[in-house]
C-alpha cells in the first residue's frame, strides 16, 4: 500500500495484524522487508505498520535526504492514517528518525525503541566512518552523504524526550559503546540494553532474536 505524505512523495508500507499499533522504521539503504520475521511475531498481538522511507524500497525516489524531513514523513503518515499513540521501533537511521520525532512531537508515541542509532556522525566507529567516506567519494551516493553529515542531535535535546525509551545496541556494533550509553543517560525513563555478542545488524535483520529482546519493554 502507498500513502502520500506530501505533493511528491509516496511512502510504501505494509500493515498486518490486530491490536495496539507498532510502527517499524528500517535503516539506511534497506527496506521494510528486513523486519519480515519481527513483523510476523508482532502481528500476533499488534497492528504493525512497516514503512519504506523516502528514496528506499518501493517509496518515492528523491533528490537529497535529510533526517528531519524523513521524520516529518513519518509524522504525516501517523497523523494521516489516524494511528493513535503507536510504539515506534527504529533501527539505525530509523532510530535517529525516532529520536527526532520524540523530541519534536513528545505526545505522539506511547513508547520508543531504538537500536544502533547515533546522534551525530562521530558516534560511528572511526574505521566505519572512513569506509563510508571512501564509498561516498567514489559513488556520490546521497545515502552515504546523509550518514556522513547528519544527524546533529544535542544532549540537551535528548533531555527533553519524555517518551519511555528502550535503547539497544550490539556489543560488536559499529556505533561506539560510549555513544549509545550517552544517549540512554540523557533520556529520562530510558532503559539501556547492550546485546552481547551481536553486531549492528545481526539481531535485527531477518532475525528471531529482536522480538524476545523488545517484548518485555513493550509489555510494561
Amino acid at each position: 500500500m502507498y500513502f502520500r505524505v506530501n505533493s511528491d512523495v509516496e511512502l510504501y508500507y505494509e500493515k498486518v495484524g490486530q491490536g495496539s499499533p507498532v510502527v517499524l522504521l528500517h535503516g539506511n539503504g534497506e527496506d521494510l522487508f528486513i523486519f519480515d520475521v519481527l513483523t510476523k511475531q508482532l502481528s500476533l498481538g499488534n497492528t504493525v505498520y512497516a514503512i519504506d522511507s523516502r528514496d528506499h524500497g518501493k517509496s518515492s525516489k528523491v533528490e537529497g535526504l535529510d533526517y528531519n524531513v524523513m521524520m516529518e514523513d513519518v509524522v504525516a503518515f501517523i497523523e494521516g492514517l489516524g494511528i493513535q499513540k503507536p510504539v515506534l521501533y527504529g533501527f539505525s537511521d530509523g532510530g535517529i528518525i525516532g529520536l527526532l520525532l520524540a523530541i519534536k512531537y513528545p505526545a505522539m508515541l506511547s513508547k520508543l525503541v531504538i537500536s544502533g542509532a547515533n546522534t551525530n556522525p562521530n558516534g560511528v566507529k572511526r574505521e566505519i566512518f572512513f569506509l563510508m567516506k571512501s564509498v561516498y567519494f567514489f559513488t556520490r551516493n546521497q545515502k552515504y552523504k546523509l550518514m556522513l553529515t547528519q544527524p546533529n542531535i544535542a544532549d540537551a535535546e535528548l533531555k527533553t524526550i519524555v517518551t519511555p525509551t528502550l535503547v539497544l545496541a550490539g556489543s560488536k556494533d559499529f556505533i561506539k559503546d560510549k555513544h549509545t550509553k550517552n544517549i540512554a543517560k540523557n533520556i529520562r525513563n530510558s532503559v539501556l540494553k547492550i546485546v552481547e555478542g551481536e553486531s549492528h545488524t545481526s539481531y535485527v535483520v531477518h532475525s528471531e532474536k529482536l522480538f524476545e529482546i523488545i517484548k518485555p519493554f513493550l509489555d510494561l
Side-chain angles (χ1 to χ4, degrees), residues 131-143:
L131 176 61
M132 294 191 303
K133 198 170 182 179
S134 177
V135 171
Y136 176 67
F137 178 81
F138 288 106
T139 66
R140 298 297 166 180
N141 185 309
Q142 65 176 352
K143 294 181 177 70

Side-chain angles (χ1 to χ4, degrees), residues 64-175:
L65 287 170
D66 181 281
Y67 286 127
N68 283 288
V69 174
M70 296 163 80
M71 177 269 290
E72 294 292 353
D73 287 346
V74 176
V75 170
F77 178 88
I78 291 171
E79 291 181 337
L81 291 181
I83 305 170
Q84 297 297 314
K85 301 289 284 188
V87 173
L88 188 149
Y89 167 63
F91 167 59
S92 199
D93 278 24
I96 293 168
I97 292 167
L99 289 172
L100 290 169
L101 192 156
I103 290 166
K104 189 170 181 182
Y105 299 92
M108 181 163 285
L109 305 176
S110 61
K111 293 179 181 178
L112 174 64
V113 181
I114 63 170
S115 62
N118 57 300
T119 57
N120 59 68
N122 288 330
V124 177
K125 290 179 179 176
R126 185 180 179 87
E127 62 272 22
I128 300 299
F129 182 84
F130 281 108
L131 176 61
M132 294 191 303
K133 198 170 182 179
S134 177
V135 171
Y136 176 67
F137 178 81
F138 288 106
T139 66
R140 298 297 166 180
N141 185 309
Q142 65 176 352
K143 294 181 177 70
Y144 283 89
K145 181 180 181 181
L146 178 66
M147 293 187 291
L148 292 169
T149 58
Q150 295 185 35
N152 295 287
I153 302 171
D155 287 353
E157 292 177 289
L158 294 176
K159 291 179 190 297
T160 68
I161 294 176
V162 295
T163 306
T165 303
L166 174 61
V167 179
L168 301 173
S171 64
K172 300 178 181 179
D173 212 299
F174 65 63
I175 303 299

Side-chain angles (χ1 to χ4, degrees), residues 169-173 195-204 209 213:
S171 64
K172 300 178 181 179
D173 212 299
V195 189
E196 190 60 38
E198 303 292 344
S199 69
H200 187 65
T201 60
S202 60
Y203 65 104
V204 176
K209 299 175 183 178
I213 293 168

